[in-house]
């Protein structure tokens, strides 16, 4: 038994790779002829790029995005030569040879970066691939319209660079009513006309749902692959991917009037049974969920009471019959009924932050993706098969 197996670990995170692949297929079906990439930066949003990316590759995905060069180099080892790997942060001065050696495609965000990459290609004696990013409204990364015009007017600047496509990133695609997306689309199309024939990519997960005008030649979903809702205020069409369960360490019976936890932020108003569960903010169970979080046991919802500690939370389990819940019982902290988006709402953040914050102390189990039970059963049932 390793440090990461239950019952040695405090909690278990199950990740359904078949659901990730189904989500990718659903998005691919929505974009018709466009390529559907997978964004696997930040360790596939906390779910484990070394498991997620090969599963997606086996499902037919050929284009992968990471943020950092280091993530790209590691992913190249995992995926082998067949995959196209794009590095969103591009290539920093001094790291060009590493990037070229890993056969990674940097996203270039300025004319200076284009020039540096051209120099690398010249030294390598071969054309090197790149993506060109234009800014359409984020003011974060990418070339301005005047830089783009200069590039279009002096094609020699791109000699030796094999430009795969141009891209930009949407500001608020998850809100279909926000006019910003339409403005960005118009800017993107205008910039695109300056370099006719170049492939293009604009949409993240949510952008895919803004309609075919946003699809171009390649879409770049991340969040929706991992089960997050792509469209705010609408039913989530994605399959749930994670189930997180924490072990009960102790059940305490307390009298009415007894305060619980650091700073005594909660006081029992009745005789209560408090279950202490082995997950805390060090595991990504955010401190802002103190007195706001919800967990469940055998489908019954229970409130998190008191503050979230580094390694534990306290749950009001008074409503659960005494004989059903004890030390070692597993409490559902995240499941299809209480998913990362729902947790995020209560913590005043977004599902992205919940996923990428998932801790490293969990016992992790991966379902599907060519290993373990397959099929369409609910992740809950399949995870239950793995309960020790
Ligand atoms: C992270 C990222 C994506 C993926 O966005 P999701 O909202 O997770 O689908 C796509 N493009 C860029 C440039 C990104 O930084």
């Amino acid at each position: 038994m390793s440090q990461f197996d239950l019952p040695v670990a405090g909690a278990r995170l199950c990740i359904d790779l078949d659901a990730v692949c189904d989500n990718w297929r659903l998005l691919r079906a929505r974009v018709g002829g466009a390529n559907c990439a997978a964004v696997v930066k930040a360790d596939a949003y906390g779910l484990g790029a070394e498991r997620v990316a090969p599963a997606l590759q086996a499902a037919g995905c050929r284009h992968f995005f990471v943020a950092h060069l280091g993530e790209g180099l590691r992913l190249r080892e995992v995926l082998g030569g067949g995959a196209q790997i794009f590095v969103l942060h591009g290539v920093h001065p001094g790291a060009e040879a590493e990037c070229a050696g890993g056969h990674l495609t940097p996203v270039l965000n300025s004319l200076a970066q284009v020039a540096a990459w051209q120099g690398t290609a010249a030294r390598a004696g071969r054309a090197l691939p790149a993506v060109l990013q234009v800014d359409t409204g984020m003011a974060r990364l990418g070339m301005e319209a005047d830089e783009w015009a200069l590039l279009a007017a002096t094609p020699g600047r791109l000699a030796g660079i094999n430009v795969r496509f141009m891209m930009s990133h949407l500001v608020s695609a998850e809100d279909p009513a926000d006019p910003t997306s339409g403005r960005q689309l118009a800017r993107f199309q205008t910039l695109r006309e300056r370099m006719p024939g170049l492939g293009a990519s604009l949409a993240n997960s949510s952008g895919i749902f803004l309609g075919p005008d946003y699809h171009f030649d390649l879409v770049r979903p991340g969040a929706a692959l991992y089960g997050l809702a792509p469209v705010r205020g609408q039913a989530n069409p994605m399959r749930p991917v994670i189930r997180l369960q924490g072990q009960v360490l102790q059940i305490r019976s307390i009298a009415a009037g007894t305060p619980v936890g650091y700073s005594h932020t909660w006081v029992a108003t009745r005789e209560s049974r408090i279950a202490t569960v082995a997950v805390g903010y060090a595991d990504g169970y955010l401190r802002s969920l103190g007195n706001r979080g919800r967990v469940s046991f055998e489908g019954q919802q229970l409130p998190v009471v008191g503050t979230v500690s580094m390694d534990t939370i306290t749950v009001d389990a008074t409503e659960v019959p005494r004989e059903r819940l004890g030390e070692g019982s597993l409490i559902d902290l995240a499941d299809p009924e209480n998913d990362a988006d729902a947790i995020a709402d209560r913590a005043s953040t977004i599902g992205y932050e919940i996923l990428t914050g998932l801790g490293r102390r969990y016992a992790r189990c991966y379902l599907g993706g060519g290993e373990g039970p397959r099929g369409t059963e609910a992740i809950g049932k399949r995870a239950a098969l793995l309960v020790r």
Side-chain angles (χ1 to χ4, degrees), residues 137-162:
M138 181 83 91
R140 186 178 73 166
L141 289 170
M143 287 179 241
E144 306 267 348
D146 56 345
E147 286 180 285
W148 190 248
L150 202 56
L151 203 55
T154 47
R157 288 171 184 267
L158 291 170
I161 299 180
N162 181 355

Side-chain angles (χ1 to χ4, degrees), residues 187-198:
R187 266 182 225 136
F188 191 64
Q189 279 162 333
T190 304
L191 294 169
R192 192 165 171 246
E193 281 159 19
R194 293 195 167 253
M195 294 239 200
L198 196 56

Side-chain angles (χ1 to χ4, degrees), residues 2-287:
S2 91
Q3 153 186 23
F4 299 110
D5 286 330
L6 280 180
V8 183
R12 178 178 52 207
L13 177 63
C14 284
I15 294 154
D16 188 340
L17 295 173
D18 284 344
V20 174
C21 292
D22 277 354
N23 287 337
W24 181 77
R25 288 187 200 97
L26 185 144
L27 297 172
R28 186 187 54 176
R30 279 196 81 102
V31 299
N35 283 304
C36 190
V39 179
V40 295
K41 63 192 179 187
D43 202 22
Y45 291 43
L47 302 188
E50 297 188 11
R51 301 300 298 268
V52 166
L56 285 167
Q57 190 177 38
C61 183
R62 295 290 171 264
H63 305 85
F64 295 86
F65 284 82
V66 294
H68 296 274
L69 181 55
E71 293 179 317
L73 291 168
R74 177 69 195 120
L75 191 62
R76 175 60 74 206
E77 288 173 21
V78 171
L79 293 181
Q84 289 192 42
I85 301 175
F86 303 95
V87 181
L88 290 166
H89 288 188
V91 51
H92 308 302
E96 290 93 349
E98 206 115 31
C99 187
H103 298 277
L104 306 176
T105 304
V107 175
L108 304 178
N109 291 308
S110 69
L111 289 181
Q113 290 175 10
V114 170
W117 194 235
Q118 187 175 52
T120 308
R123 280 191 298 281
R126 60 183 166 102
L128 292 177
V131 170
L132 303 176
Q133 177 151 230
V134 290
D135 181 23
T136 55
M138 181 83 91
R140 186 178 73 166
L141 289 170
M143 287 179 241
E144 306 267 348
D146 56 345
E147 286 180 285
W148 190 248
L150 202 56
L151 203 55
T154 47
R157 288 171 184 267
L158 291 170
I161 299 180
N162 181 355
V163 181
R164 297 266 194 247
F165 51 86
M166 64 183 287
M167 65 170 267
S168 192
H169 194 42
L170 295 167
V171 170
S172 44
E174 68 286 352
D175 180 2
D178 192 321
T180 310
S181 299
R183 280 189 220 120
Q184 287 190 270
L185 176 62
R187 266 182 225 136
F188 191 64
Q189 279 162 333
T190 304
L191 294 169
R192 192 165 171 246
E193 281 159 19
R194 293 195 167 253
M195 294 239 200
L198 196 56
S201 171
L202 181 60
N204 64 337
S205 300
S206 303
I208 292 171
F209 293 81
L210 292 175
D213 286 353
Y214 289 80
H215 296 167
F216 295 95
D217 302 295
L218 179 139
V219 295
R220 311 184 306 270
L225 298 174
Y226 312 116
L228 298 182
V231 188
R232 186 182 294 162
Q234 283 184 24
N236 185 356
M238 313 316 298
R239 278 188 63 186
V241 170
I242 66 161
R243 184 176 189 190
L244 178 63
Q245 296 172 296
Q247 290 202 89
V248 173
L249 297 171
Q250 188 178 17
I251 311 268
R252 302 287 310 277
S253 293
I254 59 174
T258 307
V260 171
Y262 283 118
S263 310
H264 285 176
T265 61
W266 188 82
V267 180
T269 55
R270 58 177 176 175
E271 207 179 304
S272 303
R273 274 180 312 116
I274 302 297
T276 302
V277 182
V279 67
Y281 59 76
D283 304 296
Y285 200 88
L286 301 180
R287 195 165 178 282

